[in-house]
Amino acid sequence: MNMRLRRFIPNMSLLLAFDAVMRTGSVTVAAQDLGLTQSTVSRLIQTLESQLGVTLFLRHHRRLTPTDAAMRYSRDIAAALDLIQRGSMSMIANPDGGVLTLAVLPTFGTRWLAPRLPAFMSAHPGVSVNLTTRFQRFSFDAEPFDAVIFYGQPDWPGAEHLKLFDETVTACAAPEFLAAHPVATPSDLASHILLQLPSRQQAWMDWFAGQGVEPQPVNGMMMDQFSMMIQSAIAGLGVALLPDYLARIEIAEGRLCPILRPAVPSRGAYWLAWPRARGDMNALRALRGWIEQMTQADRTV
């Protein structure tokens, strides 16, 4: 458990006075905004400076000019006060539910999670879900997320994990592309552009191994999202190596065709992770139970 140091957490009245002066640019207006006297606001600012050991304002004839340090500090304090305000408003409006802030991979969020979320919202009307896309790892201590859905191994620092499902991948290309460039064996891909993610540069090597052949040199083009890869393959740019859950719609509609052996196991899986300290949140418990039911239902289809 992280220890909070009192010196670095000033009293709320000090922060509100500082924020009001920064927002209004005037001690007089800030005092009116807070329902205090000008002298009280000035005294609160001085107390904050004394506690932090930093000069926040330059004083010229009873006028305060914020320093560069004050400008930087103001951004952080304003964000923190906004977060506290939103949390309090949410608690008052929805005391039995909660707001769940979830980080997700972009295409996973679009293709798998978003179509299922109405069912979750219907089953848990007291819970609100905010979604933000994230590619890179982050610290739960530094980011305002309650949970994350990611691909890889169950090694998120300081987190508990729930496995959603293993990933299998299938090489796909547009039917017009395959008509012009037939693929009968893995070696036929040697002259084709193989689309891949920078974060999964071993994926094609694993696919070749799954075809029972030695890995071959990859004539690749990097793309940072599967959604871009899917559209590029449909346009005939090259061959995409896609997780099966993402390729189903395009394959069913005939816009992409599987190549050779489908459903090759990949190295990772999809996981839900959350900080240990927040595991008892009502909203998070509801999400865990629901998403586990969804993934179990998918495995029985």
Side-chain angles (χ1 to χ4, degrees):
M1 180 180 296
N2 293 334
M3 179 182 294
R4 291 187 171 85
L5 302 179
R6 176 68 183 86
R7 175 193 169 190
F8 301 113
I9 307 178
N11 185 281
M12 184 63 71
S13 61
L14 306 182
L15 298 178
L16 288 172
F18 171 71
D19 178 67
V21 173
M22 293 298 295
R23 283 188 295 103
T24 64
S26 165
V27 172
T28 301
V29 178
Q32 294 171 351
D33 188 38
L34 297 171
L36 302 172
T37 65
Q38 296 181 42
S39 61
T40 298
V41 171
S42 296
R43 186 170 63 254
L44 290 171
I45 294 297
Q46 291 173 352
T47 302
L48 179 61
E49 290 178 317
S50 177
Q51 181 172 336
L52 296 175
V54 175
T55 299
L56 298 173
F57 295 92
L58 301 178
R59 290 157 174 82
H60 304 283
H61 304 293
R62 301 179 63 183
R63 185 176 180 182
L64 301 184
T65 302
T67 63
D68 290 342
M71 300 297 289
R72 294 193 302 271
Y73 191 49
S74 176
R75 289 192 291 269
D76 292 337
I77 294 305
L81 291 175
D82 286 344
L83 184 61
I84 293 170
Q85 178 174 278
R86 288 197 302 270
S88 299
M89 292 171 65
S90 174
M91 179 61 66
I92 293 170
N94 190 11
D96 297 323
V99 176
L100 190 66
T101 304
L102 184 62
V104 297
L105 297 167
T107 313
F108 182 95
T110 302
R111 289 296 186 97
W112 193 93
L113 184 60
R116 293 168 170 80
L117 268 183
F120 174 76
M121 305 299 288
S122 177
H124 303 279
V127 178
S128 299
V129 180
N130 297 325
L131 299 179
T132 302
T133 59
R134 281 291 187 275
F135 290 105
Q136 304 297 328
R137 293 285 180 105
F138 58 83
S139 168
F140 280 119
D141 291 333
E143 296 275 6
F145 294 115
D146 299 307
V148 60
I149 295 176
F150 70 100
Y151 169 83
Q153 302 299 324
D155 56 1
W156 201 281
E160 301 286 348
H161 298 78
L162 172 67
K163 187 175 184 179
L164 305 186
F165 52 85
D166 291 308
E167 183 184 78
T168 56
V169 295
T170 297
C172 303
E176 298 82 6
F177 180 92
L178 293 176
H181 311 281
V183 177
T185 67
S187 61
D188 291 334
L189 293 177
S191 60
H192 299 337
I193 294 176
L194 305 183
L195 309 177
Q196 58 185 323
L197 297 185
S199 59
R200 301 195 189 188
Q201 297 190 34
Q202 295 295 318
W204 274 108
M205 307 283 280
D206 294 340
W207 181 85
F208 281 114
Q211 305 301 315
V213 299
E214 290 294 322
Q216 302 180 25
V218 175
N219 176 25
M221 176 179 289
M222 298 291 183
M223 297 185 173
D224 67 356
Q225 294 190 37
F226 279 122
S227 57
M228 185 183 303
M229 188 183 297
I230 290 170
Q231 295 305 316
S232 297
I234 290 173
L237 181 61
V239 181
L241 187 58
L242 299 171
D244 289 326
Y245 81 93
L246 293 181
R248 288 172 188 164
I249 295 176
E250 282 72 21
I251 291 176
E253 293 176 348
R255 293 189 290 165
L256 289 177
C257 297
I259 295 174
L260 302 176
R261 179 193 167 194
V264 173
S266 54
R267 300 188 183 195
Y270 289 88
W271 300 86
L272 175 71
W274 61 93
R276 295 187 181 98
R278 301 182 203 172
D280 290 333
M281 287 177 55
N282 290 336
L284 186 52
R285 285 205 306 267
L287 178 70
R288 290 202 306 267
W290 171 80
I291 205 168
E292 191 168 19
Q293 290 178 350
M294 291 296 101
T295 54
Q296 287 176 350
D298 284 353
R299 286 194 289 270
T300 61
V301 173

